[in-house]
Amino acid sequence: MLGTRAARQTGRFGPRDTNLTARQWTRVQPLFTKSSSRSGQATQNHGAVRTASQLRRILSARVVLARQLSGRPLPQRQSRLLNFGYRAAAMLGSSVLLIGAGIVGFFLYDASTYRQHSSQVDLDVSALALSPRRGGPKNLPILESFLDDDDSEEMRRQKEKPRLVVLGGGWGGVALLKELHSENYHVTVISPTNYFLFTPMLPSATVGTLGLRSLVEPIRRIIHGVGGHFLRARAEDVDFSSRLVEVSQIDCHGQEQRFYVPYDKLVIAVGSVTNPHGVKGLEHCHFLKDINDAREIRNKVIANLELACLPTTTDDDRKRLLSFVVCGGGPTGVEFAAELFDLLNEDLIELFPRLLRNEISVHLIQSRDHILNTYDESLSKYAENRFARDQVEVLTNSRVSEVREDSIVFTQKDESGKIVTKELPMGFCLWSTGVSQNEFCKRIAKKLGSAQTNRHALETDTHLRVNGTPLGDVYAIGDCATVQNNIADHIVTFLRSLAWKHGSDPENLQLRFSDWRSVAEQVKKRFPQAVGHLKRLDKLFAEYDRDQSGTLDFGELRELLKQIDSKLTSLPATAQRAHQQGQYLANKFNKLARATPGLQANDIVDGDLDAAVYRAFEYKHLGSLAYIGNSAVFDLGQGRGVAGGLWAVYAWRSIYFAQSVSFRTRVLMAMDWAKRGLFGRDLMSF
């Protein structure tokens, strides 16, 4: 550093500066007069000449000085190896100190979480919470006050808020809780399970890639954010006129107890069950809907592998035990088959006899032409080719007719179109063939009568209100519900009432293009999913104006709207749809709570308040993912898709990692993936 600075200062007097002017000489002279006049004996003129002579000698020597000084580092006495050792030791010491500080900090935090003193205090508990009054159609106890209503000032304030009851703790219910403003409602969640399950990664838990606890989050921890209440019970029925939900639970004596929970707004998010399709023998199958299902599947797979190693097991029994059948070529079935193959190919050959790997077979039975039939066709073919390479047998155009204890019977259409019946020995069968209504939804649909015409889900309008219930009281989201898209009936009814209001016959109604544009705007507002089919209004108008009169009569308009109806498909029964519906309801309820004082001030308490305050629900498809064994596919919609190897697997993991419900589950998932890479999967049954 010193050499560099000296070189810069000396370089100011370069060869170009040797011819100094008289004024410059005068400025430079005093610098050297002081040093040259130390003797004090020379005269003023002689001193000036001597100073000039010294200056010339300095200027002539500046080039030599500049050459001797450079910007290179000063020579070091120690060797490079020794210097590297010093730096490595310093970095290692710093790392050890940092890690040590982190460990000490963790133990200090851990010590702060323990409580040395009892936290018992005197509490005020309502008498109605300890001994609820009876009432309702069945004269059951009515839960009007909770045990923790007076635990804090915030909970006491919420007692007077509108009662919001959520049935179910799945994707829709949890999304609603996380977006709901806690100061607006008195929230109660009723669910037979006290945890939220991250279902997209459930196939990974069946083979030990992820731990079971990495996929669940306690409902009470989630509902704590909105100051709500949780009841571990099962919804049995709803009395819409009295606004009471009938629930049941087994008490400490093993007896079933039933009681009512009152509500002002009810959200049904109870999910669905696996569709049996009328097949016999499903008691011999495993399902994959809950964490207990994943545990049972894991135990069964490991048990079959262990039985196959016994010397008393015959060759035929060994092949049957190692024959794994998956019924259903949707995302769940495909991902389970892929995870099962990974287990057999990566961990089995290391810890079990190699003979087992040669005799193991995995079969995937699909009723359609391709697996992943809701994905783009190119992605379906990619998955089939991947399975063919991994020796996973894909049986398309096949329908299961019966499941037996040790085999499965199915029919398959051959290349000539002939139906052939086949039987496949199996030691394990997973049934994953779509969803169907659970018993609670069936009772609700039966009670609502003709307002419910769908046999697979509760029908709602575009504001997610259950058809046939009092307007604005009951909503349904997730797998248990479907949005009704009867555009033709709604618009025709609207136009009929409009025509009669103006004293004209609806059958003689004639719509010009400007009228048709107004009708299209009404359709877009009430049915957002139809927007994509109403982009070219002029083209639609010209296509259905059969007589080219420049107007649409009532019959032509009805035909046009029915054509749009036929193009609208049901929303997919996925976690993505339930999550969006939960967020939609939370935002709507928040806005309704803010608008309520103004509505009450203007005596507006009836009518379509949902439509007046908030827009209709619009589902936005963000893509579908599927893991297919050390590779993954991404269907982005509109014919766009991506497929790849390990990079796609890491992208697939990253997306679900980001969507996990809490920081705790993200940490556990990351640790499980790391453990799989370091130590392999857990091959234990428990």
Side-chain angles (χ1 to χ4, degrees), residues 414-456:
D414 59 15
E415 297 180 355
S416 63
K418 184 179 179 181
I419 303 297
V420 181
T421 301
K422 298 182 179 180
E423 185 173 356
L424 182 66
M426 62 90 180
F428 171 88
C429 180
L430 174 69
W431 188 265
S432 176
T433 58
V435 297
S436 181
Q437 273 187 331
N438 55 31
E439 292 300 323
F440 173 75
C441 291
K442 288 180 180 179
R443 284 193 291 270
I444 297 300
K446 183 178 180 180
K447 177 175 290 189
L448 296 176
S450 60
Q452 296 290 326
T453 58
N454 194 306
R455 295 183 297 110
H456 302 290

Side-chain angles (χ1 to χ4, degrees), residues 87-116:
R87 293 189 179 94
M91 293 179 62
L92 180 61
S94 300
S95 301
V96 171
L97 289 176
L98 183 62
I99 295 174
I103 294 175
V104 171
F106 169 76
F107 279 107
L108 290 176
Y109 168 76
D110 183 66
S112 68
T113 60
Y114 296 97
R115 296 184 179 179
Q116 302 295 333

Side-chain angles (χ1 to χ4, degrees), residues 535-582:
K535 293 181 178 179
R536 292 295 306 273
L537 299 179
D538 54 344
K539 186 177 180 180
L540 286 172
F541 187 88
E543 180 181 354
Y544 285 89
D545 184 14
R546 309 294 188 189
D547 54 4
Q548 298 182 353
S549 61
T551 60
L552 291 177
D553 59 30
F554 208 69
E556 292 171 339
L557 178 63
R558 185 188 295 111
E559 186 178 353
L560 189 157
L561 295 175
K562 286 184 176 180
Q563 185 262 352
I564 296 176
D565 261 341
S566 64
K567 291 183 178 180
L568 294 178
T569 58
S570 299
L571 299 180
T574 59
Q576 181 182 160
R577 192 253 292 201
H579 183 77
Q580 291 186 22
Q581 289 180 330

Side-chain angles (χ1 to χ4, degrees), residues 463-464 580-588 614-617:
H463 284 272
L464 306 185
Q580 291 186 22
Q581 289 180 330
Q583 289 182 324
Y584 166 83
L585 278 188
N587 294 329
K588 178 193 285 187
Y614 209 64
R615 65 183 187 277
F617 172 72

Side-chain angles (χ1 to χ4, degrees), residues 46-322:
H46 179 71
V49 173
R50 185 178 178 182
T51 302
S53 176
Q54 290 177 347
L55 181 59
R56 289 192 184 95
R57 286 197 301 270
I58 292 174
L59 292 177
S60 63
R62 68 196 180 282
V63 178
V64 178
L65 180 62
R67 289 177 180 175
Q68 292 175 351
L69 299 176
S70 68
R72 291 180 298 178
L74 293 174
Q76 300 177 358
R77 297 181 180 179
Q78 296 86 358
S79 64
R80 292 185 178 180
L81 183 61
L82 191 58
N83 289 330
F84 175 77
Y86 287 155
R87 293 189 179 94
M91 293 179 62
L92 180 61
S94 300
S95 301
V96 171
L97 289 176
L98 183 62
I99 295 174
I103 294 175
V104 171
F106 169 76
F107 279 107
L108 290 176
Y109 168 76
D110 183 66
S112 68
T113 60
Y114 296 97
R115 296 184 179 179
Q116 302 295 333
H117 305 286
S118 176
S119 58
Q120 293 181 351
V121 294
D122 293 334
L123 295 173
D124 294 328
V125 180
S126 171
L128 288 177
L130 299 174
S131 180
R133 70 177 183 88
R134 289 181 171 269
K138 298 181 180 179
N139 195 31
L140 298 176
I142 301 178
L143 184 60
E144 297 176 305
S145 183
F146 290 80
L147 293 175
D148 53 351
D149 269 345
D150 297 304
D151 280 2
S152 64
E153 185 62 31
E154 180 183 358
M155 309 252 334
R156 280 191 287 270
R157 287 196 302 267
Q158 286 188 339
K159 288 195 300 184
E160 307 303 323
K161 299 294 183 180
R163 293 177 177 268
L164 172 61
V165 176
V166 181
L167 304 181
W171 279 92
V174 169
L176 169 63
L177 294 175
K178 293 178 77 70
E179 297 293 331
L180 192 69
H181 294 170
S182 59
E183 68 274 7
N184 293 333
Y185 295 93
H186 180 275
V187 182
T188 303
V189 177
I190 302 173
S191 175
T193 57
N194 61 351
Y195 56 83
F196 164 77
L197 175 63
F198 192 76
T199 52
M201 301 300 292
L202 197 55
S204 297
T206 60
V207 296
T209 304
L210 292 178
L212 299 178
R213 294 189 178 276
S214 303
L215 305 182
V216 294
E217 182 74 7
I219 286 290
R220 290 188 178 274
R221 185 173 294 169
I222 297 174
I223 201 174
H224 180 72
V226 293
H229 310 274
F230 174 74
L231 295 174
R232 186 170 183 175
R234 186 180 303 276
E236 299 290 348
D237 202 356
V238 180
D239 184 8
F240 299 108
S241 59
S242 303
R243 291 184 175 180
L244 295 174
V245 180
E246 181 182 345
V247 300
S248 66
Q249 181 57 290
I250 304 300
D251 64 10
C252 58
H253 302 292
Q255 303 294 324
E256 183 185 68
Q257 298 291 339
R258 296 202 174 197
F259 55 93
Y260 287 126
V261 178
Y263 69 87
D264 295 306
K265 287 188 178 297
L266 175 66
V267 178
I268 302 175
V270 294
S272 59
V273 296
T274 304
N275 194 343
H277 292 286
V279 177
K280 297 184 298 182
L282 292 188
E283 63 272 12
H284 304 301
C285 296
H286 291 266
F287 305 95
L288 192 53
K289 296 286 289 184
D290 191 66
I291 199 70
N292 292 323
D293 296 334
R295 181 183 292 108
E296 292 176 2
I297 290 173
R298 185 172 173 178
N299 291 340
K300 179 63 175 177
V301 171
I302 300 301
N304 282 13
L305 296 176
E306 296 292 352
L307 288 174
C309 295
L310 297 178
T312 55
T313 303
T314 64
D315 290 341
D316 291 339
D317 286 341
R318 183 180 297 108
K319 291 181 180 179
R320 180 185 62 81
L321 288 171
L322 299 179

Side-chain angles (χ1 to χ4, degrees), residues 438-506:
N438 55 31
E439 292 300 323
F440 173 75
C441 291
K442 288 180 180 179
R443 284 193 291 270
I444 297 300
K446 183 178 180 180
K447 177 175 290 189
L448 296 176
S450 60
Q452 296 290 326
T453 58
N454 194 306
R455 295 183 297 110
H456 302 290
L458 293 175
E459 286 185 330
T460 69
D461 61 9
T462 54
H463 284 272
L464 306 185
R465 297 169 296 195
V466 178
N467 293 341
T469 62
L471 201 62
D473 282 1
V474 185
Y475 302 80
I477 57 178
D479 294 354
C480 69
T482 182
V483 178
Q484 193 179 50
N485 289 317
N486 52 349
I487 297 177
D489 293 342
H490 281 85
I491 298 301
V492 167
T493 302
F494 168 74
L495 292 177
R496 284 182 184 275
S497 61
L498 188 63
W500 288 117
K501 183 178 179 180
H502 289 83
S504 59
D505 187 358

Side-chain angles (χ1 to χ4, degrees), residues 643-664:
L646 286 178
W647 70 267
V649 173
Y650 289 124
W652 171 77
R653 286 183 178 179
S654 300
I655 292 173
Y656 282 140
F657 178 82
Q659 290 181 346
S660 188
V661 70
S662 69
F663 177 74
R664 167 189 162 274

